[in-house]
Amino acid sequence: RKEVEQDPGPFNVPEGATVAFNCTYSNSASQSFFWYRQDCRKEPKLLMSVYSSGNEDGRFTAQLNRASQYISLLIRDSKLSDSATYLCVVNLNFGNEKLTFGTGTRLTIIP
Amino acid sequence: DTAVSQTPKYLVTQMGNDKSIKCEQNLGHDTMYWYKQDSKKFLKIMFSYNNKELIINETVPNRFSPKSPDKAHLNLHINSLELGDSAVYFCASSQGLTRGEAFFGQGTRLTVV
């Protein structure tokens, strides 16, 4: 089983739609959780951290369910500029921190 | 005033050659990383350094040798390049992942021919 699993997509959704991505992680000792965004031929950039209480940043909402080892990202009122690959990322800290990436979910917003 | 900068951005070289990629961060972070993104776009950690000391080595072949002269720099030297080494290599830095994010350089696209 992969450490972090995501549906690779692609997701093609019309502008203005709501889209949700899911991610599961295998190690219950994982410490911190993130969604990163990667545009084509660019570096990954942090979109948002994910907290157990859930958190929202504008049109983006992230949720963490530790019991189910499940992370989600919801994008409301999607814009053309949201087209990118969304990476579910987990920090597994056994004294040495490292980010473990999912394979990414590719999103294309259609005008 | 780029936070994490890598050079070169593109590198095309023949099999068997030795090449280096340089990385510098001006964020004052203690930890730096090398990640490899393969043709399937999967990002995987290779090395992690904390204050110039090697912390993580993820079963990377000995042909890859990172060097950190100071905590702001982490270079990657690759000996005897193979076709399978073709990938995008990303340098990153952080000040502790439980406190915040990792910042990535723009990547070095290595093509071995």
Side-chain angles (χ1 to χ4, degrees):
Chain A
R1 184 183 172 186
K2 288 181 184 170
E3 291 179 282
V4 181
E5 292 211 58
Q6 290 181 254
D7 182 343
F11 284 48
N12 300 314
V13 301
E15 197 174 1
T18 296
V19 59
F21 303 137
N22 302 318
C23 166
T24 56
Y25 59 96
S26 61
N27 198 314
S28 59
S30 299
Q31 299 278 323
S32 46
F33 309 88
F34 309 90
W35 283 102
Y36 273 70
R37 169 189 169 137
Q38 187 173 24
D39 292 300
C40 188
R41 301 179 79 87
K42 298 284 189 182
E43 71 273 22
K45 290 184 179 178
L46 181 71
L47 177 67
M48 57 198 303
S49 300
V50 189
Y51 305 114
S52 296
S53 53
N55 47 302
E56 190 173 308
D57 182 2
R59 299 181 292 109
F60 298 83
T61 301
Q63 294 275 357
L64 166 65
N65 184 322
R66 282 190 185 268
S68 302
Q69 295 177 206
Y70 172 95
I71 306 163
S72 66
L73 176 68
L74 184 78
I75 306 175
R76 290 181 299 278
D77 186 24
S78 52
K79 312 284 184 199
L80 294 176
S81 57
D82 294 334
S83 297
T85 296
Y86 290 83
L87 300 160
C88 178
V89 187
V90 171
N91 171 29
L92 185 66
N93 184 358
F94 283 128
N96 298 323
E97 296 185 316
K98 66 172 186 178
L99 294 180
T100 300
F101 285 79
T103 50
T105 300
R106 188 167 171 187
L107 172 67
T108 301
I109 305 300
I110 304 164
Chain B
D1 56 346
T2 305
V4 182
S5 59
Q6 300 177 224
T7 53
K9 190 172 180 181
Y10 299 97
L11 188 51
V12 181
T13 188
Q14 289 188 322
M15 277 176 57
N17 284 350
D18 303 338
K19 290 293 178 186
S20 292
I21 307 171
K22 294 187 176 181
C23 178
E24 176 181 3
Q25 55 97 1
N26 63 5
L27 297 165
H29 289 164
D30 288 333
T31 308
M32 295 186 72
Y33 314 83
W34 278 108
Y35 279 82
K36 178 180 179 181
Q37 188 166 42
D38 60 26
S39 57
K40 295 183 180 177
K41 309 297 184 189
F42 183 57
L43 263 163
K44 188 168 170 57
I45 191 166
M46 300 173 68
F47 300 103
S48 164
Y49 270 72
N50 185 274
N51 252 323
K52 304 191 297 177
E53 286 192 26
L54 179 66
I55 302 297
I56 294 173
N57 180 339
E58 287 280 309
T59 60
V60 177
N62 290 339
R63 298 183 295 104
F64 291 79
S65 51
K67 281 191 172 52
S68 181
D70 54 62
K71 75 173 193 177
H73 294 83
L74 180 61
N75 304 322
L76 184 65
H77 188 75
I78 316 170
N79 289 326
S80 303
L81 278 155
E82 300 177 357
L83 293 177
D85 297 333
S86 296
V88 182
Y89 292 84
F90 286 101
C91 177
S93 74
S94 79
Q95 193 57 18
L97 296 171
T98 50
R99 293 197 294 275
E101 66 189 280
F103 291 83
F104 284 78
Q106 63 184 3
T108 296
R109 188 171 294 273
L110 171 66
T111 303
V112 183
V113 297

mmCIF file of all heavy atoms in Angstrom, chain B residues 35-38 43 85-90 106-110:
data_model
loop_
_atom_site.group_PDB
_atom_site.id
_atom_site.type_symbol
_atom_site.label_atom_id
_atom_site.label_comp_id
_atom_site.label_asym_id
_atom_site.label_seq_id
_atom_site.Cartn_x
_atom_site.Cartn_y
_atom_site.Cartn_z
ATOM 1 N N TYR B 35 14.613 16.357 -3.635
ATOM 2 C CA TYR B 35 13.521 15.498 -4.088
ATOM 3 C C TYR B 35 13.719 15.213 -5.570
ATOM 4 O O TYR B 35 14.230 16.045 -6.318
ATOM 5 C CB TYR B 35 12.166 16.189 -3.909
ATOM 6 C CG TYR B 35 11.611 16.120 -2.516
ATOM 7 C CD1 TYR B 35 12.026 17.013 -1.542
ATOM 8 C CD2 TYR B 35 10.675 15.139 -2.174
ATOM 9 C CE1 TYR B 35 11.512 16.936 -0.255
ATOM 10 C CE2 TYR B 35 10.162 15.062 -0.885
ATOM 11 C CZ TYR B 35 10.589 15.966 0.066
ATOM 12 O OH TYR B 35 10.092 15.888 1.339
ATOM 13 N N LYS B 36 13.240 14.041 -5.979
ATOM 14 C CA LYS B 36 13.269 13.666 -7.395
ATOM 15 C C LYS B 36 11.836 13.487 -7.874
ATOM 16 O O LYS B 36 11.034 12.819 -7.211
ATOM 17 C CB LYS B 36 14.050 12.356 -7.570
ATOM 18 C CG LYS B 36 14.106 11.844 -8.998
ATOM 19 C CD LYS B 36 14.896 10.540 -9.074
ATOM 20 C CE LYS B 36 14.950 10.005 -10.504
ATOM 21 N NZ LYS B 36 15.707 8.727 -10.588
ATOM 22 N N GLN B 37 11.524 14.100 -9.021
ATOM 23 C CA GLN B 37 10.204 13.908 -9.632
ATOM 24 C C GLN B 37 10.398 13.180 -10.954
ATOM 25 O O GLN B 37 10.994 13.721 -11.887
ATOM 26 C CB GLN B 37 9.487 15.235 -9.842
ATOM 27 C CG GLN B 37 8.044 15.067 -10.294
ATOM 28 C CD GLN B 37 7.241 16.352 -10.178
ATOM 29 O OE1 GLN B 37 7.720 17.434 -10.499
ATOM 30 N NE2 GLN B 37 6.007 16.249 -9.694
ATOM 31 N N ASP B 38 9.877 11.981 -11.036
ATOM 32 C CA ASP B 38 10.110 11.156 -12.216
ATOM 33 C C ASP B 38 9.114 11.479 -13.327
ATOM 34 O O ASP B 38 8.305 12.398 -13.199
ATOM 35 C CB ASP B 38 10.058 9.673 -11.838
ATOM 36 C CG ASP B 38 8.721 9.254 -11.241
ATOM 37 O OD1 ASP B 38 7.696 9.910 -11.542
ATOM 38 O OD2 ASP B 38 8.700 8.294 -10.467
ATOM 39 N N LEU B 43 6.786 12.681 -6.768
ATOM 40 C CA LEU B 43 7.854 13.343 -6.011
ATOM 41 C C LEU B 43 8.308 12.460 -4.861
ATOM 42 O O LEU B 43 7.500 12.076 -4.012
ATOM 43 C CB LEU B 43 7.337 14.653 -5.417
ATOM 44 C CG LEU B 43 7.620 15.917 -6.175
ATOM 45 C CD1 LEU B 43 6.720 17.026 -5.693
ATOM 46 C CD2 LEU B 43 9.076 16.327 -6.012
ATOM 47 N N ASP B 85 18.328 8.237 -14.624
ATOM 48 C CA ASP B 85 18.472 9.410 -13.754
ATOM 49 C C ASP B 85 17.722 10.616 -14.312
ATOM 50 O O ASP B 85 17.585 11.629 -13.623
ATOM 51 C CB ASP B 85 19.962 9.771 -13.591
ATOM 52 C CG ASP B 85 20.755 8.682 -12.911
ATOM 53 O OD1 ASP B 85 20.155 7.908 -12.115
ATOM 54 O OD2 ASP B 85 21.972 8.574 -13.169
ATOM 55 N N SER B 86 17.262 10.512 -15.543
ATOM 56 C CA SER B 86 16.512 11.619 -16.150
ATOM 57 C C SER B 86 15.257 11.893 -15.326
ATOM 58 O O SER B 86 14.439 10.994 -15.101
ATOM 59 C CB SER B 86 16.121 11.282 -17.588
ATOM 60 O OG SER B 86 17.272 11.134 -18.394
ATOM 61 N N ALA B 87 15.127 13.113 -14.865
ATOM 62 C CA ALA B 87 14.016 13.499 -13.983
ATOM 63 C C ALA B 87 14.151 14.989 -13.703
ATOM 64 O O ALA B 87 15.094 15.636 -14.157
ATOM 65 C CB ALA B 87 14.075 12.723 -12.670
ATOM 66 N N VAL B 88 13.202 15.488 -12.914
ATOM 67 C CA VAL B 88 13.337 16.854 -12.393
ATOM 68 C C VAL B 88 13.752 16.740 -10.931
ATOM 69 O O VAL B 88 13.107 16.019 -10.151
ATOM 70 C CB VAL B 88 12.029 17.660 -12.518
ATOM 71 C CG1 VAL B 88 12.242 19.079 -11.999
ATOM 72 C CG2 VAL B 88 11.550 17.692 -13.963
ATOM 73 N N TYR B 89 14.812 17.416 -10.570
ATOM 74 C CA TYR B 89 15.327 17.378 -9.204
ATOM 75 C C TYR B 89 14.990 18.711 -8.526
ATOM 76 O O TYR B 89 15.333 19.781 -9.025
ATOM 77 C CB TYR B 89 16.836 17.126 -9.206
ATOM 78 C CG TYR B 89 17.176 15.735 -9.698
ATOM 79 C CD1 TYR B 89 17.272 15.467 -11.057
ATOM 80 C CD2 TYR B 89 17.350 14.681 -8.808
ATOM 81 C CE1 TYR B 89 17.547 14.185 -11.517
ATOM 82 C CE2 TYR B 89 17.628 13.403 -9.257
ATOM 83 C CZ TYR B 89 17.716 13.161 -10.609
ATOM 84 O OH TYR B 89 17.968 11.882 -11.060
ATOM 85 N N PHE B 90 14.311 18.606 -7.390
ATOM 86 C CA PHE B 90 13.912 19.794 -6.642
ATOM 87 C C PHE B 90 14.667 19.862 -5.329
ATOM 88 O O PHE B 90 14.717 18.887 -4.576
ATOM 89 C CB PHE B 90 12.408 19.771 -6.328
ATOM 90 C CG PHE B 90 11.514 20.051 -7.487
ATOM 91 C CD1 PHE B 90 10.883 19.013 -8.153
ATOM 92 C CD2 PHE B 90 11.289 21.356 -7.906
ATOM 93 C CE1 PHE B 90 10.037 19.261 -9.236
ATOM 94 C CE2 PHE B 90 10.443 21.612 -8.979
ATOM 95 C CZ PHE B 90 9.831 20.564 -9.642
ATOM 96 N N GLN B 106 13.006 26.013 -8.140
ATOM 97 C CA GLN B 106 12.278 25.906 -9.406
ATOM 98 C C GLN B 106 12.519 24.570 -10.115
ATOM 99 O O GLN B 106 11.855 24.269 -11.092
ATOM 100 C CB GLN B 106 12.675 27.050 -10.322
ATOM 101 C CG GLN B 106 14.158 27.018 -10.701
ATOM 102 C CD GLN B 106 14.566 28.224 -11.530
ATOM 103 O OE1 GLN B 106 13.777 29.117 -11.778
ATOM 104 N NE2 GLN B 106 15.821 28.256 -11.942
ATOM 105 N N GLY B 107 13.456 23.795 -9.621
ATOM 106 C CA GLY B 107 13.716 22.480 -10.209
ATOM 107 C C GLY B 107 14.836 22.501 -11.235
ATOM 108 O O GLY B 107 15.091 23.516 -11.885
ATOM 109 N N THR B 108 15.507 21.380 -11.388
ATOM 110 C CA THR B 108 16.520 21.180 -12.425
ATOM 111 C C THR B 108 16.072 19.999 -13.261
ATOM 112 O O THR B 108 15.933 18.894 -12.748
ATOM 113 C CB THR B 108 17.901 20.892 -11.813
ATOM 114 O OG1 THR B 108 18.333 22.026 -11.079
ATOM 115 C CG2 THR B 108 18.913 20.559 -12.907
ATOM 116 N N ARG B 109 15.823 20.271 -14.532
ATOM 117 C CA ARG B 109 15.364 19.207 -15.439
ATOM 118 C C ARG B 109 16.593 18.541 -16.049
ATOM 119 O O ARG B 109 17.265 19.123 -16.892
ATOM 120 C CB ARG B 109 14.454 19.797 -16.515
ATOM 121 C CG ARG B 109 13.779 18.755 -17.383
ATOM 122 C CD ARG B 109 12.719 19.415 -18.267
ATOM 123 N NE ARG B 109 11.632 19.957 -17.492
ATOM 124 C CZ ARG B 109 10.556 19.280 -17.113
ATOM 125 N NH1 ARG B 109 10.404 18.018 -17.470
ATOM 126 N NH2 ARG B 109 9.608 19.865 -16.409
ATOM 127 N N LEU B 110 16.876 17.336 -15.591
ATOM 128 C CA LEU B 110 18.042 16.587 -16.062
ATOM 129 C C LEU B 110 17.621 15.582 -17.116
ATOM 130 O O LEU B 110 16.717 14.778 -16.879
ATOM 131 C CB LEU B 110 18.711 15.850 -14.880
ATOM 132 C CG LEU B 110 19.815 14.864 -15.226
ATOM 133 C CD1 LEU B 110 21.024 15.591 -15.814
ATOM 134 C CD2 LEU B 110 20.233 14.066 -13.987
#
